Amino acid sequence: MTIAPRIAREVELEARNTLRIPGRAEYFLEAKSVAELIEAVRWAEAKGLAVTVLGGGSNVVVPHDGVRGLVIAPKERGIHFVEGSGREVFLDARAGEPWEALVEAAVSRGLAGIECLTGIPGLAGAAPIQNIGAYGKELDEQLVYVEAFERATGEVVRIEREACEFGYRESRFKRRPGEFIIVGMRLRLERDGAPTVRYRELVDAVPPGASLSEVRSTVYALRKAKSMILDPEDPNHRNAGSFFTNPVLSREEYARFLERAIGGGLIASEEELPHYPSGDGVKIAAAFLIERAGFRRGARMGAFGLSSKHSLCLVHHGGGDSRGLLALARTIQAGVEAAFGVKLVAEPRLLGPDLAAAVR
Ligand SMILES: Cc1cc2nc3c(=O)[nH]c(=O)nc-3n(C[C@H](O)[C@H](O)[C@H](O)COP(=O)(O)OP(=O)(O)OC[C@H]3O[C@@H](n4cnc5c(N)ncnc54)[C@H](O)[C@@H]3O)c2cc1C
Protein backbone atom coordinates (compact mmCIF):
# COMPACT_ATOMS: atom_id res chain seq x y z
CA MET A 1 0.00 0.00 0.00
CA THR A 2 1.27 3.44 -0.80
CA ILE A 3 1.92 5.91 2.00
CA ALA A 4 -0.01 8.76 0.35
CA PRO A 5 -3.44 8.09 1.94
CA ARG A 6 -1.89 8.20 5.43
CA ILE A 7 -0.36 11.64 4.95
CA ALA A 8 -2.68 14.20 6.54
CA ARG A 9 -3.13 17.81 5.39
CA GLU A 10 -3.10 20.98 7.47
CA VAL A 11 -2.37 19.35 10.81
CA GLU A 12 -2.29 21.57 13.91
CA LEU A 13 0.95 21.14 15.87
CA GLU A 14 -0.08 22.94 19.08
CA ALA A 15 -0.41 19.69 21.04
CA ARG A 16 2.83 18.37 19.51
CA ASN A 17 5.19 21.00 20.94
CA THR A 18 5.90 21.53 24.63
CA LEU A 19 5.52 25.33 24.41
CA ARG A 20 1.98 24.61 23.22
CA ILE A 21 2.10 27.33 20.58
CA PRO A 22 -0.06 27.00 17.46
CA GLY A 23 1.02 26.48 13.86
CA ARG A 24 0.07 23.96 11.19
CA ALA A 25 2.02 21.43 9.17
CA GLU A 26 1.03 21.58 5.49
CA TYR A 27 1.41 17.77 5.39
CA PHE A 28 2.03 15.48 8.37
CA LEU A 29 2.87 11.81 8.95
CA GLU A 30 3.79 9.68 11.95
CA ALA A 31 6.21 7.14 10.43
CA LYS A 32 5.94 3.85 12.33
CA SER A 33 8.94 2.27 10.59
CA VAL A 34 12.05 3.31 8.68
CA ALA A 35 10.47 1.92 5.50
CA GLU A 36 7.48 4.25 5.98
CA LEU A 37 9.77 7.17 6.69
CA ILE A 38 11.74 6.59 3.48
CA GLU A 39 8.57 6.18 1.46
CA ALA A 40 7.21 9.45 2.84
CA VAL A 41 10.44 11.32 2.04
CA ARG A 42 10.29 9.99 -1.54
CA TRP A 43 6.64 11.05 -1.77
CA ALA A 44 7.58 14.59 -0.68
CA GLU A 45 10.57 14.73 -3.03
CA ALA A 46 8.41 13.69 -5.97
CA LYS A 47 6.13 16.62 -5.19
CA GLY A 48 9.02 19.05 -4.64
CA LEU A 49 8.06 19.50 -0.98
CA ALA A 50 10.46 20.33 1.86
CA VAL A 51 10.79 17.71 4.62
CA THR A 52 11.03 18.64 8.32
CA VAL A 53 11.43 16.20 11.20
CA LEU A 54 9.53 16.57 14.47
CA GLY A 55 10.36 14.52 17.57
CA GLY A 56 8.68 15.26 20.88
CA GLY A 57 8.56 18.98 20.08
CA SER A 58 10.47 19.96 23.24
CA ASN A 59 13.19 21.98 21.53
CA VAL A 60 11.39 23.72 18.70
CA VAL A 61 9.45 26.90 18.06
CA VAL A 62 6.52 26.26 15.73
CA PRO A 63 6.11 29.27 13.40
CA HIS A 64 2.72 30.98 13.67
CA ASP A 65 2.26 30.80 9.89
CA GLY A 66 2.92 27.09 9.82
CA VAL A 67 5.45 24.73 8.30
CA ARG A 68 5.47 24.34 4.54
CA GLY A 69 5.94 20.87 3.09
CA LEU A 70 5.91 17.55 4.93
CA VAL A 71 6.50 17.22 8.66
CA ILE A 72 7.51 13.65 9.57
CA ALA A 73 7.45 12.34 13.13
CA PRO A 74 9.64 9.19 13.36
CA LYS A 75 7.78 6.85 15.72
CA GLU A 76 9.56 3.51 15.36
CA ARG A 77 10.20 2.19 18.86
CA GLY A 78 12.48 -0.44 20.38
CA ILE A 79 15.28 -0.87 22.91
CA HIS A 80 17.72 -3.81 22.84
CA PHE A 81 20.80 -4.66 24.86
CA VAL A 82 23.90 -6.25 23.37
CA GLU A 83 26.75 -7.64 25.48
CA GLY A 84 30.13 -6.03 24.87
CA SER A 85 33.47 -7.03 26.30
CA GLY A 86 34.03 -7.07 30.06
CA ARG A 87 31.47 -4.86 31.79
CA GLU A 88 30.51 -3.07 28.60
CA VAL A 89 26.87 -3.32 27.50
CA PHE A 90 25.44 -1.60 24.42
CA LEU A 91 21.97 -0.08 24.36
CA ASP A 92 20.47 0.03 20.86
CA ALA A 93 17.43 2.30 20.53
CA ARG A 94 15.12 3.29 17.70
CA ALA A 95 14.49 6.99 17.16
CA GLY A 96 10.83 7.02 18.24
CA GLU A 97 11.55 5.70 21.73
CA PRO A 98 11.01 8.35 24.45
CA TRP A 99 14.43 9.37 25.80
CA GLU A 100 13.36 8.71 29.39
CA ALA A 101 12.61 5.07 28.47
CA LEU A 102 16.32 4.63 27.67
CA VAL A 103 17.31 6.09 31.05
CA GLU A 104 14.79 3.85 32.84
CA ALA A 105 15.94 0.74 30.94
CA ALA A 106 19.60 1.45 31.71
CA VAL A 107 19.27 2.38 35.39
CA SER A 108 16.86 -0.46 36.20
CA ARG A 109 19.45 -2.95 34.85
CA GLY A 110 22.27 -1.37 36.86
CA LEU A 111 23.92 0.04 33.73
CA ALA A 112 25.79 3.30 34.26
CA GLY A 113 26.21 6.11 31.75
CA ILE A 114 23.00 8.08 31.24
CA GLU A 115 21.56 8.38 34.78
CA CYS A 116 22.28 12.16 34.88
CA LEU A 117 20.30 12.66 31.67
CA THR A 118 17.02 11.75 33.35
CA GLY A 119 14.04 14.07 32.99
CA ILE A 120 14.98 15.47 29.57
CA PRO A 121 11.82 15.41 27.46
CA GLY A 122 11.68 14.28 23.86
CA LEU A 123 12.57 11.25 21.79
CA ALA A 124 15.80 9.31 21.44
CA GLY A 125 16.18 10.34 17.78
CA ALA A 126 16.53 14.00 18.74
CA ALA A 127 19.05 13.44 21.55
CA PRO A 128 22.13 13.59 19.27
CA ILE A 129 20.87 16.70 17.45
CA GLN A 130 22.01 19.07 20.18
CA ASN A 131 24.08 16.47 22.07
CA ILE A 132 21.78 16.64 25.09
CA GLY A 133 23.48 17.36 28.35
CA ALA A 134 22.71 17.94 32.01
CA TYR A 135 24.27 17.66 35.45
CA GLY A 136 27.80 17.02 34.23
CA LYS A 137 27.05 14.55 31.43
CA GLU A 138 26.68 14.95 27.68
CA LEU A 139 25.31 12.29 25.36
CA ASP A 140 28.48 12.04 23.24
CA GLU A 141 30.36 10.50 26.18
CA GLN A 142 28.21 7.39 25.80
CA LEU A 143 27.28 7.43 22.12
CA VAL A 144 28.93 4.85 19.86
CA TYR A 145 27.13 5.60 16.60
CA VAL A 146 24.00 7.04 15.09
CA GLU A 147 22.00 5.31 12.37
CA ALA A 148 20.49 7.75 9.92
CA PHE A 149 18.70 8.04 6.61
CA GLU A 150 20.94 10.12 4.36
CA ARG A 151 18.84 12.35 2.13
CA ALA A 152 21.50 12.80 -0.57
CA THR A 153 22.08 9.07 -1.17
CA GLY A 154 18.76 7.60 -0.05
CA GLU A 155 20.68 5.10 2.11
CA VAL A 156 20.51 4.28 5.81
CA VAL A 157 24.07 4.81 7.06
CA ARG A 158 25.98 4.42 10.31
CA ILE A 159 27.73 7.56 11.56
CA GLU A 160 30.40 6.89 14.18
CA ARG A 161 30.65 9.29 17.11
CA GLU A 162 33.81 11.01 15.80
CA ALA A 163 31.99 11.92 12.59
CA CYS A 164 29.01 13.46 14.42
CA GLU A 165 31.01 16.65 15.18
CA PHE A 166 29.60 16.91 18.68
CA GLY A 167 30.14 20.00 20.81
CA TYR A 168 28.31 21.82 23.57
CA ARG A 169 24.65 21.66 22.41
CA GLU A 170 26.01 21.10 18.90
CA SER A 171 26.42 18.42 16.25
CA ARG A 172 26.69 18.17 12.48
CA PHE A 173 22.96 17.37 12.49
CA LYS A 174 22.12 20.69 14.15
CA ARG A 175 24.59 22.70 12.05
CA ARG A 176 23.39 21.24 8.77
CA PRO A 177 19.77 20.20 9.30
CA GLY A 178 18.13 18.26 6.51
CA GLU A 179 21.13 16.08 5.59
CA PHE A 180 20.12 13.16 7.80
CA ILE A 181 17.08 11.80 9.56
CA ILE A 182 18.19 9.87 12.63
CA VAL A 183 16.51 6.47 12.88
CA GLY A 184 18.48 4.80 15.68
CA MET A 185 21.58 4.86 17.86
CA ARG A 186 23.92 2.73 19.97
CA LEU A 187 25.04 3.83 23.45
CA ARG A 188 27.87 2.32 25.50
CA LEU A 189 26.99 1.61 29.15
CA GLU A 190 28.83 -0.07 32.01
CA ARG A 191 27.44 -2.89 34.12
CA ASP A 192 27.82 -2.11 37.84
CA GLY A 193 29.55 1.13 36.83
CA ALA A 194 29.70 4.10 39.17
CA PRO A 195 27.20 6.92 38.58
CA THR A 196 28.59 10.20 37.24
CA VAL A 197 28.69 12.62 40.17
CA ARG A 198 30.83 15.53 39.05
CA TYR A 199 28.45 18.50 38.77
CA ARG A 200 28.79 20.72 41.85
CA GLU A 201 25.06 20.89 42.64
CA LEU A 202 24.79 17.10 42.36
CA VAL A 203 27.95 16.45 44.40
CA ASP A 204 26.39 18.52 47.20
CA ALA A 205 23.03 16.76 46.94
CA VAL A 206 23.95 13.04 46.98
CA PRO A 207 25.67 11.07 49.76
CA PRO A 208 29.05 9.49 48.92
CA GLY A 209 28.62 6.06 47.34
CA ALA A 210 25.08 6.81 46.10
CA SER A 211 23.61 4.19 43.75
CA LEU A 212 22.67 4.77 40.12
CA SER A 213 18.99 5.04 40.99
CA GLU A 214 19.68 7.43 43.88
CA VAL A 215 21.66 9.68 41.55
CA ARG A 216 18.91 9.50 38.95
CA SER A 217 16.18 10.40 41.45
CA THR A 218 18.28 13.24 42.90
CA VAL A 219 18.82 14.72 39.44
CA TYR A 220 15.08 14.37 38.80
CA ALA A 221 14.25 16.20 42.05
CA LEU A 222 16.75 19.00 41.32
CA ARG A 223 15.21 19.42 37.86
CA LYS A 224 11.68 19.43 39.25
CA ALA A 225 12.56 22.24 41.67
CA LYS A 226 13.56 24.33 38.62
CA SER A 227 10.48 23.35 36.54
CA MET A 228 12.82 21.46 34.21
CA ILE A 229 10.51 18.43 34.18
CA LEU A 230 7.39 18.43 32.03
CA ASP A 231 4.65 18.47 34.66
CA PRO A 232 1.19 19.71 33.56
CA GLU A 233 0.49 20.77 37.17
CA ASP A 234 3.42 23.20 37.12
CA PRO A 235 2.43 26.77 36.11
CA ASN A 236 5.74 27.01 34.18
CA HIS A 237 5.15 23.80 32.24
CA ARG A 238 4.62 25.25 28.74
CA ASN A 239 8.26 25.72 27.83
CA ALA A 240 11.11 24.41 25.68
CA GLY A 241 13.67 23.99 28.47
CA SER A 242 16.57 26.44 28.48
CA PHE A 243 15.88 28.98 25.77
CA PHE A 244 19.49 30.19 25.48
CA THR A 245 22.77 28.32 25.58
CA ASN A 246 25.50 29.38 28.00
CA PRO A 247 27.97 31.59 26.10
CA VAL A 248 31.47 30.15 25.69
CA LEU A 249 34.10 32.91 25.41
CA SER A 250 37.75 32.65 24.41
CA ARG A 251 40.20 33.63 27.18
CA GLU A 252 40.71 37.06 25.55
CA GLU A 253 36.97 37.66 25.16
CA TYR A 254 36.46 36.59 28.75
CA ALA A 255 39.09 39.07 30.01
CA ARG A 256 37.38 41.89 28.08
CA PHE A 257 33.98 40.72 29.34
CA LEU A 258 35.15 40.83 32.98
CA GLU A 259 36.71 44.25 32.57
CA ARG A 260 33.47 45.63 31.16
CA ALA A 261 31.19 43.91 33.70
CA ILE A 262 33.25 44.94 36.73
CA GLY A 263 34.01 48.41 35.33
CA GLY A 264 30.32 48.96 34.62
CA GLY A 265 29.36 47.89 38.14
CA LEU A 266 27.32 44.90 36.89
CA ILE A 267 29.35 42.51 39.01
CA ALA A 268 31.61 43.27 41.96
CA SER A 269 34.22 40.60 41.20
CA GLU A 270 34.84 37.41 39.22
CA GLU A 271 33.87 35.27 42.26
CA GLU A 272 30.28 36.40 41.87
CA LEU A 273 30.04 35.09 38.32
CA PRO A 274 29.14 31.42 37.74
CA HIS A 275 31.76 30.35 35.16
CA TYR A 276 33.45 27.09 34.17
CA PRO A 277 36.36 26.08 31.95
CA SER A 278 35.14 24.87 28.55
CA GLY A 279 37.71 23.61 26.06
CA ASP A 280 40.21 26.46 25.63
CA GLY A 281 37.65 29.02 26.76
CA VAL A 282 35.27 29.89 29.58
CA LYS A 283 31.56 29.10 29.78
CA ILE A 284 29.47 31.67 31.63
CA ALA A 285 25.97 31.17 33.01
CA ALA A 286 23.42 32.79 30.70
CA ALA A 287 20.82 32.80 33.51
CA PHE A 288 23.10 35.04 35.60
CA LEU A 289 23.59 37.48 32.70
CA ILE A 290 19.84 37.63 32.07
CA GLU A 291 19.07 38.43 35.70
CA ARG A 292 21.88 40.99 36.01
CA ALA A 293 20.68 42.65 32.81
CA GLY A 294 17.44 43.35 34.66
CA PHE A 295 15.09 40.51 33.63
CA ARG A 296 13.39 39.05 36.67
CA ARG A 297 12.15 35.48 37.06
CA GLY A 298 8.40 35.40 36.58
CA ALA A 299 8.39 38.67 34.56
CA ARG A 300 5.86 38.70 31.70
CA MET A 301 5.61 40.24 28.27
CA GLY A 302 2.20 39.53 26.77
CA ALA A 303 1.47 35.80 26.58
CA PHE A 304 5.08 34.86 27.41
CA GLY A 305 7.47 35.36 30.27
CA LEU A 306 10.45 34.09 32.21
CA SER A 307 9.85 30.99 34.31
CA SER A 308 9.33 31.84 37.98
CA LYS A 309 11.94 29.17 38.81
CA HIS A 310 14.60 29.60 36.14
CA SER A 311 15.37 32.77 34.18
CA LEU A 312 16.82 30.81 31.24
CA CYS A 313 13.48 29.22 30.55
CA LEU A 314 10.78 31.11 28.61
CA VAL A 315 7.21 30.15 29.38
CA HIS A 316 3.99 30.42 27.38
CA HIS A 317 1.06 31.49 29.56
CA GLY A 318 -1.52 30.77 26.86
CA GLY A 319 -3.02 32.54 23.86
CA GLY A 320 0.30 33.46 22.23
CA ASP A 321 2.21 32.33 19.17
CA SER A 322 5.78 32.33 17.85
CA ARG A 323 5.76 36.10 17.26
CA GLY A 324 5.28 36.93 20.95
CA LEU A 325 7.86 34.37 22.00
CA LEU A 326 10.50 35.59 19.56
CA ALA A 327 9.81 39.21 20.54
CA LEU A 328 10.53 38.33 24.18
CA ALA A 329 13.64 36.34 23.20
CA ARG A 330 14.97 39.28 21.16
CA THR A 331 14.25 41.72 24.00
CA ILE A 332 16.32 39.57 26.36
CA GLN A 333 19.11 39.16 23.79
CA ALA A 334 19.24 42.93 23.25
CA GLY A 335 19.23 43.66 27.00
CA VAL A 336 22.06 41.22 27.72
CA GLU A 337 24.09 42.47 24.77
CA ALA A 338 23.65 46.11 25.82
CA ALA A 339 24.73 45.32 29.39
CA PHE A 340 27.51 42.78 28.84
CA GLY A 341 28.41 42.91 25.14
CA VAL A 342 27.55 39.19 24.83
CA LYS A 343 25.04 37.87 22.29
CA LEU A 344 22.94 35.03 23.67
CA VAL A 345 22.21 32.22 21.20
CA ALA A 346 18.78 30.58 21.21
CA GLU A 347 18.80 26.83 21.82
CA PRO A 348 15.50 25.76 20.20
CA ARG A 349 15.10 25.81 16.44
CA LEU A 350 12.34 27.34 14.41
CA LEU A 351 10.57 24.30 12.98
CA GLY A 352 10.59 24.16 9.22
CA PRO A 353 12.74 24.45 6.15
CA ASP A 354 13.11 28.24 6.24
CA LEU A 355 16.60 28.39 7.71
CA ALA A 356 16.98 32.10 7.05
CA ALA A 357 14.28 32.66 9.63
CA ALA A 358 15.93 30.44 12.25
CA VAL A 359 15.97 31.81 15.77
CA ARG A 360 19.31 33.54 16.10
C1 LIG B 1 11.34 21.03 30.47
C2 LIG B 1 12.47 20.82 29.50
C3 LIG B 1 13.74 20.52 29.98
C4 LIG B 1 14.81 20.31 29.09
N1 LIG B 1 16.04 20.01 29.60
C5 LIG B 1 17.09 19.79 28.76
C6 LIG B 1 18.38 19.47 29.29
O1 LIG B 1 18.58 19.37 30.49
N2 LIG B 1 19.39 19.27 28.41
C7 LIG B 1 19.20 19.34 27.05
O2 LIG B 1 20.17 19.13 26.31
N3 LIG B 1 17.99 19.64 26.53
C8 LIG B 1 16.93 19.87 27.34
N4 LIG B 1 15.70 20.19 26.83
C9 LIG B 1 15.53 20.32 25.37
C10 LIG B 1 14.96 19.06 24.67
O3 LIG B 1 14.20 18.29 25.55
C11 LIG B 1 16.05 18.19 24.05
O4 LIG B 1 16.82 18.94 23.15
C12 LIG B 1 15.46 16.97 23.32
O5 LIG B 1 16.49 16.12 22.88
C13 LIG B 1 14.58 17.35 22.14
O6 LIG B 1 13.88 16.18 21.75
P1 LIG B 1 12.54 16.23 20.92
O7 LIG B 1 12.22 14.82 20.51
O8 LIG B 1 11.48 16.94 21.66
O9 LIG B 1 13.01 17.06 19.64
P2 LIG B 1 12.20 18.17 18.82
O10 LIG B 1 12.01 19.36 19.67
O11 LIG B 1 11.00 17.58 18.19
O12 LIG B 1 13.26 18.50 17.68
C14 LIG B 1 14.44 19.22 17.98
C15 LIG B 1 15.25 19.38 16.69
O13 LIG B 1 15.73 18.11 16.28
C16 LIG B 1 15.26 17.76 14.97
N5 LIG B 1 14.96 16.32 15.02
C17 LIG B 1 14.14 15.70 15.90
N6 LIG B 1 14.17 14.37 15.70
C18 LIG B 1 15.02 14.15 14.66
C19 LIG B 1 15.47 12.98 13.96
N7 LIG B 1 15.04 11.75 14.29
N8 LIG B 1 16.34 13.14 12.93
C20 LIG B 1 16.77 14.37 12.56
N9 LIG B 1 16.38 15.51 13.18
C21 LIG B 1 15.52 15.40 14.22
C22 LIG B 1 14.04 18.64 14.74
O14 LIG B 1 13.84 18.88 13.36
C23 LIG B 1 14.43 19.90 15.51
O15 LIG B 1 15.27 20.72 14.74
C24 LIG B 1 14.60 20.41 27.69
C25 LIG B 1 13.32 20.72 27.21
C26 LIG B 1 12.27 20.93 28.11
C27 LIG B 1 10.89 21.26 27.58
Side-chain angles (χ1 to χ4, degrees):
M1 192 183 102
T2 151
I3 200 80
R6 294 210 20 241
I7 297 176
R9 277 212 77 159
E10 295 301 331
V11 172
E12 178 55 57
L13 300 177
E14 185 170 351
R16 294 179 184 270
N17 73 92
T18 59
L19 277 157
R20 296 283 185 264
I21 53 174
R24 289 176 168 203
E26 188 182 3
Y27 295 94
F28 181 82
L29 175 77
E30 283 191 353
K32 305 246 171 356
S33 66
V34 175
E36 272 191 16
L37 184 140
I38 295 173
E39 206 185 333
V41 171
R42 297 214 167 109
W43 174 89
E45 283 170 354
K47 288 184 163 321
L49 295 171
V51 174
T52 301
V53 185
L54 179 66
S58 64
N59 212 21
V60 290
V61 174
V62 174
H64 72 279
D65 52 356
V67 184
R68 285 175 291 109
L70 173 65
V71 175
I72 302 183
K75 291 288 178 185
E76 187 178 76
R77 295 190 62 169
I79 293 179
H80 301 282
F81 290 92
V82 179
E83 289 295 321
S85 57
R87 293 178 4 185
E88 185 180 64
V89 178
F90 298 113
L91 186 165
D92 290 348
R94 308 310 295 163
E97 198 62 53
W99 170 256
E100 192 66 14
L102 276 64
V103 178
E104 168 63 27
V107 172
S108 65
R109 286 168 177 78
L111 302 173
I114 54 174
E115 60 285 348
C116 290
L117 299 179
T118 188
I120 301 180
L123 304 184
I129 303 293
Q130 71 153 0
N131 185 23
I132 57 168
Y135 291 86
K137 175 68 79 171
E138 285 185 336
L139 179 74
D140 65 331
E141 283 183 62
Q142 308 304 139
L143 189 120
V144 182
Y145 60 75
V146 155
E147 223 180 282
F149 174 67
E150 186 174 23
R151 295 284 308 277
T153 61
E155 302 286 329
V156 173
V157 295
R158 189 178 279 189
I159 308 168
E160 302 292 331
R161 183 178 77 114
E162 294 67 33
C164 292
E165 299 169 24
F166 286 124
Y168 164 62
R169 300 293 186 273
E170 271 298 351
S171 71
R172 70 186 290 176
F173 314 110
K174 186 165 177 180
R175 275 186 216 107
R176 299 187 291 280
E179 285 183 1
F180 295 99
I181 299 177
I182 295 177
V183 296
M185 75 195 60
R186 168 168 283 196
L187 305 181
R188 178 182 285 108
L189 304 173
E190 190 186 358
R191 181 177 296 108
D192 301 325
T196 305
V197 183
R198 55 165 92 114
Y199 190 76
R200 172 57 41 207
E201 202 184 345
L202 188 57
V203 173
D204 293 343
V206 292
S211 68
L212 280 182
S213 61
E214 281 167 336
V215 169
R216 178 189 179 197
S217 54
T218 304
V219 169
Y220 199 89
L222 291 170
R223 296 182 64 97
K224 195 167 167 58
K226 296 179 196 164
S227 299
M228 279 290 130
I229 295 293
L230 280 184
D231 171 6
E233 303 297 310
D234 186 327
N236 295 302
H237 79 275
R238 282 181 283 206
N239 71 69
S242 299
F243 202 87
F244 299 103
T245 54
N246 292 316
V248 178
L249 306 183
S250 69
R251 293 274 161 192
E252 297 72 42
E253 287 167 340
Y254 180 65
R256 282 200 298 277
F257 162 86
L258 270 186
E259 201 178 296
R260 174 177 174 151
I262 295 172
L266 288 161
I267 59 172
S269 70
E270 189 181 13
E271 282 72 65
E272 238 189 302
L273 174 76
H275 65 287
Y276 320 88
S278 176
D280 293 336
V282 182
K283 189 192 283 180
I284 48 182
F288 179 89
L289 302 185
I290 291 171
E291 291 185 19
R292 283 298 162 99
F295 299 97
R296 284 175 299 102
R297 292 181 197 181
R300 281 184 70 158
M301 188 171 125
F304 296 89
L306 279 70
S307 162
S308 60
K309 306 266 187 62
H310 190 13
S311 46
L312 208 47
C313 174
L314 304 189
V315 172
H316 179 206
H317 293 288
D321 64 28
S322 60
R323 290 168 293 189
L325 175 64
L326 298 185
L328 173 60
R330 289 187 187 118
T331 303
I332 294 171
Q333 277 173 325
V336 168
E337 195 167 11
F340 291 100
V342 171
K343 180 88 187 267
L344 293 182
V345 175
E347 189 183 294
R349 285 298 160 109
L350 202 63
L351 191 67
D354 189 1
L355 290 180
V359 191
R360 289 191 207 284

